[in-house]
Amino acid sequence: MAENIIEQIEILSQAFSAQLVMLDVSSQEGIKEFLSQYQQIADLARVNRLSAIEKVAALCHEYANAAFLKNDKVLFKKTLSFSAEILSKQIAYEKDKTGLSIHPDWLIRKFKEIDLPQGETAQVHSFSDSQLREMPDFIAHAKTIIEATKKEIAQTVNHPDHKDYIQALLRVFHGIKGQARILGLVNISDLCCEVEILLDRLKSKKINFSVEMPGLILEALDLLNNLLDLLKNNPEEALNGDIGRYKAKIDNLIIHGDKKSVVTDEFSPKIPVLDFSYGREVIEEFISESREHMTSAEEALLKLENDPQDPEQINKALRDFHTVKGLASFLNLDDLRVLTHDTEAMMDMVRRATLPFTHEISEAALASIDAIRKLLDLLSEQVANNGRLESAYFDAGPVDIAIRNIVNRVTVLVVGFTKSKLGELLIEKGIITETDLNKALDKQKKEILPKKIGEILVEERMATVSQIKRALDDQYKGDTIEASIKIPVAKLDSLIEMAGKLVVTSAQISGNPHVKSFEDKRFFDDMQQLGRIVQNIHDVSMSLRMVAIKPVFQKMTRLIHDLSRKMNKDVEVRISGDELKIDKNLVDLLGDPLLHMVRNCLDHGLESPQERLEKGKPAKGIISLSAYQRSGNIVIEVKDDGRGINKDKILKKAIENGLLREGEQVDENRLFQLMFIPGFSTVDKVTDLSGRGVGMDVVRENIEQLKGKIEVISEEGKGSIFLLELPLKFCVPCEA
């Protein structure tokens, strides 16, 4: 019976569309009769309980009639054409479930957009005093909910009760939408409405979950956050914040979608078109900051290889990729945006324990860092050449595909509210019980606009305000970032030079006979204070050139990681003293010597896992990098627990090369120094890593340029230590 009714409605709709072609928009009687057919379809659908068709037909009638009353023929034709298309699609869905059911909220929004002037996406108006008074509370509350919701959008495998979680998310967006409408925030309200439409289809299984689905919801949350930030500073401008791109994604599902999952665009290499309207320095700053973030992410990933469940390092890597993604989006750098976004998604799954941090994920994330660095290098070339790129562009597609393949193996769902970290912390402190937390979480779920878990605990008298505050302080302890700015090296050098001249001039004034002849005690006290200040300025300015040796050690750690994989050796890297600060120029000069020593430790020093086991050693070898001060010098120490240096082999090679005579007595220190002679090598077979006798020569040459020296300590079967000693003038204490 229902099928026959739908067929009747379909016939009416087809006749309606045919009449539309011949409709005389100048005949008011003809138009009224034409519009009455919408109502006929709505009535027929209502009688037969086809509520979806009824709602669509009724809305089409309402907005078509409103367009007619405005006496705007162009608007009227656009409204009729759109409504006819939408009505036919809803009927087709009801008939054979092709396409998607039309959501009333979405349809209302689309009708409103037809009525907007071309290019206008939001209604600009002034806010009333009462609206402005309510705005700060709304912003604070909404941002809290958004942050909590982002943490609760997790990925899991085939969770059976996902409807409950979607319902929880629906309540969140519905609540923000309602508050936004009261305050006249049209675009924020519309954005929440879009997400509601998406979640409603997920809940009713009219579209399926995919790996991109949580990302689509997170994208809406990020967009909401941006609009709220803008609202704090410029409410009028915030109202014009564009949500068109997000709407287009949802529209694509509603009008052209089927029951397939949402699919994002494939990676397609795209040379950036640089926009210098913001200033060249903005892009240069982005490149510099992004390189720092990639260094930070690399450090975190390498630490995770030793402790795969370290939450601090996982979050650190996640934040680094997220930050670069946001900056790349702002500058329209698509390749960087896509690659960082997908890597962030993978690391987020690690953070949520959906994916274990494995060797495969580590390699994929490190490959992403390498690819991002290549793209940044090319971007730097473009900036230098006023937007022109002469080098061949790098295709990051294979790297991104590898990451997507890892992510796509997991079927993801949007899951709901879990125990908050604050709640777990309060339980650990004995302030609340597990039962108390569960009650508070249940109440939070039922709130239309969920409150903070701490607020609920205080309201229910399960905890005091001071207890919540102390727990929050503990929760966020250690998550601070040192503020810093970047200064051109030329300006820094000029400052140091002037500070030096200031010290000299201050000393000359203090030593001037005329000044010394003054007997005013206050004058002399002031001169002494001035001298101390000048000296402090000089000390601080000198310390500005000092940087931690940490980046040098990190490069060596990455080198060991890559080479150990290539050589099938299992290696643990131990770092100490990496906060020791040295002159920036020294950082570059230390790179080559350390590289050659580390490669020798890995290639010559450390045995294979099998060989180590046969010798009674752990299969995993250890290479240690240390920095410290000793007897007025900086000491950089490279140590391994490998096979040690074979003294007999060095002696034999030295005699063969004519460096020593047969039977000549030589102490251990002199014998080891022979390794630094150009061309000297005890390796029987040259590899692509070592064996040509040039690496250690580079070490000695660079260290001698710095007026330093090299010391070697080794014991066969136990390992070797290489000590680089440099004058203290290149170093400042760690706390400087």
Side-chain angles (χ1 to χ4, degrees):
M1 180 65 180
E3 292 180 1
N4 293 334
I5 296 299
I6 293 175
E7 286 180 1
Q8 290 180 34
I9 293 175
E10 184 179 26
I11 292 170
L12 286 173
S13 175
Q14 289 171 350
F16 178 83
S17 298
Q19 291 174 31
L20 177 61
V21 178
M22 304 298 295
L23 182 65
D24 181 5
V25 293
S26 62
S27 171
Q28 292 197 3
E29 290 301 320
I31 289 173
K32 287 180 180 179
E33 183 179 348
F34 179 82
L35 291 177
S36 68
Q37 296 181 45
Y38 278 119
Q39 197 59 52
Q40 291 177 29
I41 293 174
D43 291 342
L44 185 58
R46 183 177 63 256
V47 170
N48 290 278
R49 297 184 179 181
L50 297 170
S51 60
I53 294 179
E54 177 198 350
K55 289 178 182 177
V56 171
L59 284 170
C60 287
H61 178 266
E62 178 185 344
Y63 280 92
N65 190 57
F68 166 66
L69 293 175
K70 287 188 177 182
N71 198 26
D72 185 331
K73 293 180 180 179
V74 175
L75 172 63
F76 182 57
K77 283 184 176 180
K78 284 172 65 178
T79 303
L80 288 180
S81 177
F82 175 72
S83 59
E85 177 189 4
I86 289 300
L87 185 56
S88 65
K89 287 184 179 296
Q90 183 61 45
I91 293 168
Y93 174 79
E94 297 292 342
K95 182 181 178 183
D96 53 18
K97 303 301 180 185
T98 59
L100 289 173
S101 178
I102 303 302
H103 194 288
D105 283 350
W106 174 86
L107 185 54
I108 290 170
R109 192 259 292 169
K110 293 302 290 183
F111 275 126
K112 286 181 178 178
E113 286 184 358
I114 291 173
D115 199 12
L116 288 173
Q118 188 174 4
E120 186 177 339
T121 57
Q123 180 185 0
V124 180
H125 67 272
S126 297
F127 292 101
S128 67
D129 291 339
S130 62
Q131 285 175 320
L132 290 173
R133 281 196 300 271
E134 294 290 331
M135 211 79 78
D137 286 342
F138 166 73
I139 293 169
H141 202 176
K143 285 183 77 68
T144 301
I145 293 168
I146 288 168
E147 189 59 34
T149 305
K150 286 171 74 173
K151 291 178 181 178
E152 301 304 337
I153 295 178
Q155 291 119 343
T156 188
V157 179
N158 298 325
H159 198 289
D161 301 319
H162 65 271
K163 275 192 176 182
D164 294 338
Y165 304 134
I166 296 172
Q167 187 61 40
L169 288 171
L170 273 167
R171 284 196 297 269
V172 167
F173 285 100
H174 182 77
I176 295 176
K177 180 184 77 173
Q179 292 294 316
R181 280 185 176 171
I182 292 172
L183 294 174
L185 304 172
V186 180
N187 53 353
I188 290 178
S189 173
D190 284 350
L191 178 58
C192 291
C193 181
E194 296 297 320
V195 184
E196 276 191 277
I197 293 169
L198 174 64
L199 291 170
D200 182 65
R201 275 155 175 71
L202 291 172
K203 183 181 175 183
S204 59
K205 296 185 178 180
K206 291 172 182 173
I207 56 176
N208 297 330
F209 284 100
S210 74
V211 71
E212 292 85 5
M213 197 64 69
L216 197 57
I217 297 171
L218 285 169
E219 183 181 343
L221 291 169
D222 287 339
L223 187 51
L224 272 175
N225 244 336
N226 293 339
L227 289 172
L228 291 169
D229 287 337
L230 192 59
L231 192 63
K232 280 195 287 189
N233 304 315
N234 192 332
E236 303 293 344
E237 186 179 344
L239 201 60
N240 275 328
D242 184 27
I243 63 169
R245 289 180 65 185
Y246 191 83
K247 284 181 177 180
K249 292 181 181 182
I250 305 300
D251 290 349
N252 186 58
L253 279 175
I254 293 172
I255 297 181
H256 305 293
D258 53 22
K259 296 190 74 177
K260 295 178 182 178
S261 302
V262 178
V263 179
T264 57
D265 296 332
E266 291 298 320
F267 190 99
S268 179
K270 182 180 178 183
I271 299 176
V273 178
L274 301 188
D275 180 4
F276 291 114
S277 60
Y278 293 106
R280 184 184 301 267
E281 63 276 5
V282 172
I283 305 177
E284 291 173 342
E285 185 75 9
F286 162 75
I287 294 170
S288 176
E289 286 188 14
S290 296
R291 283 173 173 158
E292 289 180 7
H293 281 297
M294 288 304 98
T295 298
S296 172
E298 182 180 65
E299 178 189 21
L301 290 166
L302 293 172
K303 287 183 178 179
L304 282 170
E305 293 208 331
N306 292 326
D307 185 3
Q309 296 181 333
D310 185 342
E312 182 181 347
Q313 300 307 323
I314 293 171
N315 287 328
K316 182 180 176 183
L318 189 63
R319 283 194 300 267
D320 288 321
F321 286 113
H322 177 77
T323 303
V324 176
K325 178 192 75 174
L327 295 170
S329 297
F330 173 74
L331 295 172
N332 294 317
L333 304 171
D334 290 342
D335 286 13
L336 281 166
R337 175 185 58 79
V338 172
L339 186 54
T340 49
H341 170 78
D342 290 341
T343 311
E344 178 195 8
M346 180 178 69
M347 291 306 300
D348 189 47
M349 294 174 79
V350 172
R351 179 170 69 95
R352 299 181 187 281
T354 302
L355 283 175
F357 187 81
T358 61
H359 168 66
E360 181 186 24
I361 290 176
S362 173
E363 293 302 306
L366 288 171
S368 174
I369 290 173
D370 291 340
I372 290 166
R373 283 171 171 160
K374 289 177 182 177
L375 291 172
L376 290 171
D377 289 342
L378 291 169
L379 184 62
S380 181
E381 180 187 325
Q382 276 189 273
V383 174
N385 294 334
N386 295 315
R388 190 178 69 257
L389 183 64
E390 296 178 354
S391 301
Y393 192 63
F394 174 70
D395 180 6
V399 176
D400 188 67
I401 289 170
I403 291 170
R404 290 191 186 190
N405 286 339
I406 292 171
V407 174
N408 285 334
R409 291 185 204 137
V410 182
T411 303
V412 289
L413 305 178
V414 180
V415 301
F417 295 91
T418 58
K419 294 178 184 176
S420 68
K421 291 183 179 178
L422 175 62
E424 292 174 353
L425 196 57
L426 290 169
I427 291 173
E428 288 177 12
K429 290 177 175 289
I431 296 171
I432 63 173
T433 65
E434 185 91 18
T435 304
D436 292 336
L437 179 59
N438 288 333
K439 286 180 181 177
L441 288 169
D442 287 340
K443 184 172 181 180
Q444 187 186 48
K445 291 179 187 178
K446 294 173 184 176
E447 295 281 346
I448 293 177
L449 199 60
K451 296 179 180 178
K452 298 176 185 177
I453 196 68
E455 290 180 40
I456 296 173
L457 290 170
V458 172
E459 285 178 2
E460 297 296 318
R461 298 186 178 181
M462 298 174 183
T464 64
V465 173
S466 60
Q467 287 172 330
I468 297 294
K469 185 179 183 302
R470 282 196 296 271
L472 285 171
D473 290 342
D474 290 343
Q475 183 177 349
Y476 296 107
K477 193 178 290 181
D479 196 26
T480 57
I481 300 173
E482 183 180 354
S484 63
I485 60 172
K486 293 180 175 60
I487 302 172
V489 174
K491 288 185 178 180
L492 188 59
D493 288 341
S494 177
L495 173 65
I496 293 171
E497 183 182 354
M498 287 188 288
K501 290 179 179 178
L502 186 61
V503 171
V504 173
T505 304
S506 175
Q508 289 173 340
I509 293 172
S510 299
N512 189 296
H514 296 289
V515 173
K516 286 185 174 182
S517 66
F518 291 153
E519 296 182 357
D520 188 332
K521 183 179 183 301
R522 180 173 178 180
F523 173 77
F524 277 104
D525 289 343
D526 290 343
M527 283 296 296
Q528 287 179 343
Q529 176 67 8
L530 178 62
R532 284 192 291 270
I533 293 172
V534 168
Q535 188 60 50
N536 286 339
I537 291 173
H538 178 262
D539 292 342
V540 171
S541 64
M542 289 298 293
S543 72
L544 293 177
R545 285 199 61 90
M546 300 297 179
V547 295
I549 199 172
K550 184 176 183 177
V552 185
F553 280 5
Q554 185 176 326
K555 287 180 182 178
M556 298 306 110
T557 305
R558 177 65 191 277
L559 175 72
I560 294 168
H561 169 275
D562 292 345
L563 292 182
S564 63
R565 296 289 189 269
K566 186 175 182 179
M567 300 169 66
N568 295 318
K569 291 183 178 181
D570 195 3
V571 184
E572 177 185 347
V573 182
R574 295 180 180 176
I575 303 290
S576 64
D578 57 347
E579 293 304 319
L580 182 75
K581 292 185 177 180
I582 58 178
D583 188 276
K584 189 177 185 300
N585 289 331
L586 187 58
V587 170
D588 299 327
L589 291 171
L590 274 176
D592 277 349
L594 281 176
L595 182 146
H596 289 294
M597 286 193 294
V598 163
R599 285 204 307 199
N600 272 337
C601 286
L602 192 58
D603 197 14
H604 305 317
L606 291 183
E607 310 93 333
S608 67
Q610 183 62 34
E611 187 180 346
R612 290 179 65 85
L613 290 172
E614 290 172 357
K615 291 181 177 180
K617 293 182 177 182
K620 179 180 284 189
I622 298 172
I623 293 180
S624 302
L625 301 173
S626 306
Y628 51 89
Q629 294 181 36
R630 183 180 72 182
S631 303
N633 291 321
I634 313 166
V635 179
I636 312 295
E637 181 182 297
V638 181
K639 178 181 178 182
D640 68 71
D641 68 343
R643 56 175 64 94
I645 298 173
N646 189 321
K647 301 172 193 173
D648 292 337
K649 210 168 185 179
I650 293 177
L651 186 60
K652 180 181 177 183
K653 196 70 175 181
I655 293 171
E656 288 177 4
N657 292 353
L659 299 172
L660 294 175
R661 295 188 302 274
E662 189 76 43
E664 183 179 348
Q665 296 297 315
V666 59
D667 62 29
E668 185 179 87
N669 182 56
R670 185 186 169 198
L671 187 66
F672 287 154
Q673 291 299 318
L674 295 174
M675 295 188 301
F676 298 97
I677 295 176
F680 189 91
S681 176
T682 60
V683 177
D684 299 323
K685 182 181 179 182
V686 175
T687 69
D688 59 349
L689 295 179
S690 59
R692 296 178 179 84
V694 294
M696 301 306 280
D697 176 39
V698 172
V699 173
R700 185 179 67 174
E701 184 178 334
N702 284 29
I703 298 305
E704 286 180 351
Q705 284 180 10
L706 298 169
K707 309 299 182 186
K709 64 178 183 178
I710 307 169
E711 182 182 353
V712 181
I713 303 169
S714 182
E715 183 177 351
E716 286 193 54
K718 293 190 177 180
S720 304
I721 302 174
F722 293 85
L723 300 169
L724 308 183
E725 287 196 27
L726 302 168
L728 192 59
K729 67 177 181 178
F730 291 114
C731 173
V732 294
C734 299
E735 63 270 18

